[in-house]
Amino acid sequence: MIQHKKRHQGNGLSLGRKLADHGFAWLAFGCTFLAMALLLLFFIRLGFDVNSWFKIMPERIAKFNLEIERKALEFDEETKRELDALAREKETRIKQDPNNADSLAIRYDKVINKKIEDRAKTKLEIESNLNTDKRSDVSCFGMLIHFISAGPSSQPQDAGIKAALLSSLLLGAITIIAAIPLGVATAIYLEEYRAQSWIGAILQLNVNNLAGVPSIMYAILGAYVFVELIFKPLESPAIAARNTLGGGLTLALLVLPIIIVSTQEAIRAVPVSLRHASLALGASRWQTIWKIVIPSSLPGILTGMILALSRAMGEAAPLVLFGAALYVNFSPSLFSRFTALPMQIYSWSDDPDPAFHYNAALASAILITMLLGLNSIAIFFRYFVQQKLKG
Amino acid sequence: MESDRKINEIPPTRKLPPAPAFRISEWFIEWGLFLSAFLSIGITIAIAWIVFSGTYQFFSDPDVSIKYFFTGTEWTAGFEGAKYSILPLLAGTMMVAVIAGLLALPIGLISAIYLSEYASKPVRLLVKPTLELLAGIPTVVYGYFAVFAITPLLEKFIPGLDPVTNQLSGGIVVAIMILPMIASLSEDAMRMVPGSLREASYALGATKFETSTKIVVPAALSGILASFLLAISRAIGETMAVTLACGGQPKLTLDPREGLATMTGFIARIAQGDVQHGTTLFNSLFAVAAVLFIITLTMNMLAQWILTKYRQVYQ
């Protein structure tokens, strides 16, 4: 295609046409960069919210520390008060009934001793809780580390994303392991075996439609197949009905069209002459595919894989429907219940306590950093590595 | 000579000749590949089967009437004497889609024109990946953005805006979400228009504006329309951002300042609660999903049909 860099302007251009031409050029420029400006605005806003998190959370931590210290002090006072009350009661009862003074004294002493023991035990518990709950490290770095390594909590300043982050990584791994072989196989079948037949046309139409099916539909499918049909009958203490494996497989179905389409594009870009050369040398069809076509289209397949991974890790709708738990305070494994980073963001954003919203902002920032990193790699592959291979 | 002619006659097709000899391993591989390809059709069939059998159960409930479902005005699922009419939920979804479409379609198209006709190569190489990055932001984060950034901003300008959930903020974030899709797909379509058409137009004395709008856009119309349809279908199927931004109140109103539950939002909220399987409330989820499935599938099929039917093949 020829690039028209110079503006073509006739001599007899009327003012109206000239204005329309210039005006539209600026309008078009503005519209295009509006999207970029929105992106910038978005990041600035998120930055402000994350900044507020670093300001608000130390205050909440200090407040919470004071509160638990006060509770411990109050507990001591309460113990003292209760013991005094018991001692007074003992005296009055002995005065009222001097005949049974000895047995009453023994009974009361027993009660008092038990009380002292109980309170001492509770006190120990409270003190150990005090030591674990009380947080002294309020530096930015320390708080960030706590946020990443802590489990969920009803206290916004204590809540963290450890379980969510681990779940998300596990889900992403399951998704890719399940979806890549299926997606690549489908793309090969479509492009190498059924490129110009009616079966290929139907499969292609179906793949294109699947790409447009709302993600919530996959959730209904996953909830039915993986929960109702497969894992509910197998349910046991070791296997939860709504487990990470099922969630990952649901996401795999969701990203399958992405992998198929990008692999197809990559396979189409491999020159036919390479295949002919391989066949002419006596290679079979599969040998040609395995040794020639797949290696040549590897960057495209990788691009699809990364895009699929980033989609799977950012998607929350299927997991909401699948029944991902919101309060997971253990490290998730293949057959345990699970949560996910986007789910955590969703539940925090929906929380009435505004302090949780800042948690949502920080978790969003972490998720976006991860996903944009992945997407940048994919875009780099698509625009530079593939261009180079095409020659 | 004879064999030379035959080699030259091999059409430049990508359909390959069959392998020289039948090999059992090749046969197994082909069937293995076929099975995995068939899985994708299986997904479609399974989704349709689950959704429509659930819908059948929903309508076979004596409390539910099909007539009220399509013509009624109230959706009070989960309450005493529940009434099930899809219209309030449909209104919520459509309002988001219309707001998003009104904002994103013109801006996306103009961006596509700029990228295809006006932008220099470095600018295009910079803008297109950035637009794709915009598309890579998870939808739940867009929902956060709608609730905590767009709604407070809109509140300053629009009196009577619901400060917690409203359709307007939902529509705006969905517009931001579908904008890159429209711009990118339309730009691809416009780039397929051959340069000779533009040159002919310039030779007749047309300005760049006239060439873009009267030659390039009509020539790429099938691709542009398809991108619009796909984007609107995406807006209708969008879940998390809309659930956060628009809330869960099914109402039949045309006021975008209020928060209306959308179809996807209803499904997400029902699924979150512990609803007993097999109840009418749970089955209503399938009925809503069926409507959603039919709408999005129709739009996608229409887009595919436009693309194949009206595709202009240029040399």
Side-chain angles (χ1 to χ4, degrees):
Chain A
M1 202 184 91
I2 299 167
Q3 292 286 324
H4 299 275
K5 281 194 178 159
K6 280 185 186 159
R7 303 176 74 69
H8 294 254
Q9 286 172 347
N11 288 329
L13 223 52
S14 71
L15 187 66
R17 285 175 71 198
K18 220 180 222 171
L19 272 180
D21 195 28
H22 282 273
F24 186 77
W26 282 107
L27 176 72
F29 179 80
C31 278
T32 309
F33 287 92
L34 180 73
M36 315 263 284
L38 279 172
L39 189 67
L40 204 66
L41 204 75
F42 186 90
F43 285 132
I44 291 172
R45 167 75 211 199
L46 206 60
F48 271 118
D49 282 352
V50 170
N51 192 28
S52 316
W53 185 85
F54 283 112
K55 275 190 195 136
I56 284 170
M57 289 307 160
E59 287 168 18
R60 299 279 301 222
I61 290 172
K63 213 171 122 196
F64 187 69
N65 284 350
L66 273 180
E67 203 175 299
I68 48 179
E69 273 167 15
R70 205 197 64 216
K71 266 188 191 158
L73 280 178
E74 268 176 12
F75 185 78
D76 281 348
E77 279 167 17
E78 207 186 307
T79 312
K80 217 175 148 199
R81 244 182 290 133
E82 278 181 17
L83 288 177
D84 282 354
L86 273 174
R88 247 176 295 154
E89 204 184 317
K90 181 184 161 189
E91 274 171 27
T92 47
R93 286 295 293 275
I94 288 173
K95 263 181 203 164
Q96 278 171 4
D97 198 358
N99 297 338
N100 288 335
D102 284 351
S103 67
L104 266 178
I106 291 168
R107 247 164 61 200
Y108 267 99
D109 282 346
K110 253 187 198 166
V111 171
I112 287 170
N113 282 338
K114 193 152 184 286
K115 192 89 187 171
I116 290 171
E117 251 173 51
D118 278 358
R119 295 299 276 194
K121 233 187 244 169
T122 325
K123 172 87 200 202
L124 269 179
E125 251 171 52
I126 286 178
E127 266 174 358
S128 74
N129 277 350
L130 191 67
N131 285 336
T132 50
D133 286 352
K134 200 174 162 182
R135 283 171 54 202
S136 48
D137 189 2
V138 289
S139 66
C140 288
F141 187 68
M143 285 200 324
L144 206 58
I145 293 290
H146 180 268
F147 188 70
I148 290 174
S149 60
S153 167
S154 56
Q155 293 293 329
Q157 70 277 10
D158 284 339
I161 55 167
K162 184 185 170 201
L165 199 62
L166 286 176
S167 285
S168 273
L169 293 176
L170 194 57
L171 282 172
I174 296 170
T175 305
I176 289 307
I177 291 170
I180 280 283
L182 283 174
V184 173
T186 306
I188 288 172
Y189 189 74
L190 268 171
E191 287 300 315
E192 297 292 322
Y193 288 86
R194 295 281 178 273
Q196 280 150 354
S197 74
W198 61 273
I199 299 179
I202 289 175
L203 283 170
Q204 188 69 61
L205 182 71
N206 181 58
V207 168
N208 290 347
N209 278 329
L210 276 184
V213 168
S215 53
I216 202 154
M217 291 296 168
Y218 289 95
I220 292 176
L221 174 70
Y224 187 77
V225 174
F226 297 120
V227 178
E228 296 295 317
L229 288 187
I230 299 181
F231 288 119
K232 210 152 223 179
L234 293 175
E235 197 170 358
S236 69
I239 300 175
R242 299 157 184 278
N243 56 33
T244 322
L245 185 63
L249 292 177
T250 307
L251 290 177
L253 299 183
L254 174 76
V255 300
L256 204 55
I258 299 175
I259 294 177
I260 295 174
V261 170
S262 61
T263 308
Q264 272 186 297
E265 272 167 20
I267 290 177
R268 253 178 245 152
V270 178
V272 192
S273 55
L274 281 183
R275 295 186 183 85
H276 284 171
S278 166
L279 290 172
L281 287 170
S284 73
R285 205 178 227 188
W286 177 248
Q287 283 167 334
T288 307
I289 292 167
W290 188 246
K291 298 245 166 80
I292 306 293
V293 177
I294 290 182
S296 316
S297 50
L298 212 53
I301 296 174
L302 278 179
T303 309
M305 185 182 109
I306 296 167
L307 286 180
L309 183 63
S310 97
R311 171 91 195 270
M313 287 176 69
E315 194 69 68
L319 301 178
V320 169
L321 220 62
F322 193 80
L326 288 174
Y327 202 91
V328 172
N329 49 6
F330 48 85
S331 299
S333 68
L334 215 52
F335 291 108
S336 70
R337 297 209 65 169
F338 66 103
T339 177
L341 207 41
M343 288 285 303
Q344 197 71 66
I345 295 170
Y346 171 73
S347 72
W348 278 339
S349 302
D350 230 12
D351 202 281
D353 184 350
F356 275 116
H357 302 163
Y358 295 105
N359 277 348
L362 185 58
S364 298
I366 292 172
L367 182 64
I368 286 184
T369 315
M370 277 162 48
L371 296 191
L372 290 193
L374 280 175
N375 276 16
S376 318
I377 298 171
I379 288 166
F380 173 77
F381 264 115
R382 170 143 14 117
Y383 281 90
F384 299 101
V385 180
Q386 262 181 332
Q387 301 288 323
K388 231 176 223 173
L389 280 184
K390 272 181 200 163
Chain B
M1 285 308 280
E2 181 83 331
S3 62
D4 262 331
R5 209 166 58 81
K6 267 191 181 159
I7 287 170
N8 288 337
E9 265 178 9
I10 290 176
T13 163
R14 303 190 330 89
K15 198 172 184 177
L16 293 169
F22 177 78
R23 286 167 55 161
I24 193 79
S25 61
E26 294 279 317
W27 186 84
F28 272 117
I29 284 166
E30 188 170 339
W31 275 96
L33 292 175
F34 171 75
L35 283 181
S36 77
F38 190 76
L39 182 80
S40 68
I41 288 192
I43 294 173
T44 312
I45 294 171
I47 290 177
W49 168 253
I50 293 165
V51 165
F52 287 118
S53 64
T55 309
Y56 176 75
Q57 276 182 14
F58 174 70
F59 281 124
S60 54
D61 192 298
D63 296 343
V64 180
S65 92
I66 295 184
K67 191 171 169 250
Y68 191 80
F69 188 75
F70 288 110
T71 57
T73 53
E74 269 186 276
W75 179 277
T76 52
F79 293 101
E80 199 70 31
K83 288 177 178 172
Y84 301 98
S85 162
I86 191 71
L87 293 186
L89 295 177
L90 200 62
T93 295
M94 284 308 157
M95 206 184 292
V96 170
V98 166
I99 294 169
L102 283 179
L103 289 172
L105 297 188
I107 297 178
L109 180 59
I110 293 174
S111 302
I113 295 175
Y114 176 79
L115 285 177
S116 152
E117 305 299 313
Y118 287 81
S120 61
K121 206 178 172 193
V123 171
R124 190 166 50 232
L125 268 182
L126 188 76
V127 172
K128 267 204 108 174
T130 315
L131 284 180
E132 275 168 44
L133 279 186
L134 201 63
I137 295 175
T139 59
V140 64
V141 179
Y142 276 117
Y144 175 87
F145 193 49
V147 176
F148 301 115
I150 296 180
T151 304
L153 194 72
L154 288 178
E155 249 189 312
K156 287 178 189 154
F157 303 106
I158 299 168
L161 189 82
D162 188 325
V164 185
T165 56
N166 55 73
Q167 234 47 19
L168 208 52
S169 66
I172 291 172
V173 279
V174 173
I176 300 175
M177 231 179 278
I178 61 177
L179 188 67
M181 190 174 175
I182 298 171
S184 174
L185 289 177
S186 301
E187 198 250 2
D188 287 343
M190 286 182 209
R191 299 248 285 159
M192 299 295 272
V193 176
S196 57
L197 282 184
R198 294 185 184 84
E199 280 153 30
S201 165
Y202 289 134
L204 289 170
T207 61
K208 195 155 196 164
F209 169 62
E210 287 158 349
T211 308
S212 306
T213 51
K214 292 186 182 154
I215 305 294
V216 180
V217 170
L221 202 60
S222 65
I224 294 169
L225 276 181
S227 83
F228 283 5
L229 279 171
L230 290 176
I232 294 295
S233 141
R234 167 100 197 270
I236 289 172
E238 172 44 44
T239 308
M240 290 324 278
V242 168
T243 310
L244 274 174
C246 303
Q249 282 255 300
K251 274 181 278 185
L252 190 60
T253 160
L254 286 175
D255 186 356
R257 294 174 304 180
E258 286 184 53
L260 275 70
T262 61
M263 295 193 281
T264 50
F266 168 75
I267 296 175
R269 292 212 182 247
I270 279 291
Q272 260 180 299
D274 270 331
V275 180
Q276 201 68 40
H277 282 230
T279 57
T280 311
L281 177 59
F282 189 77
N283 284 339
S284 71
L285 183 156
F286 291 111
V288 176
V291 174
L292 187 66
F293 186 61
I294 291 171
I295 293 175
T296 50
L297 193 71
T298 312
M299 295 188 87
N300 289 338
M301 294 283 252
L302 205 60
Q304 305 280 329
W305 182 73
I306 289 174
L307 271 181
T308 46
K309 176 94 180 174
Y310 293 104
R311 172 173 287 159
Q312 302 273 347
V313 182
Y314 301 105
Q315 294 304 309

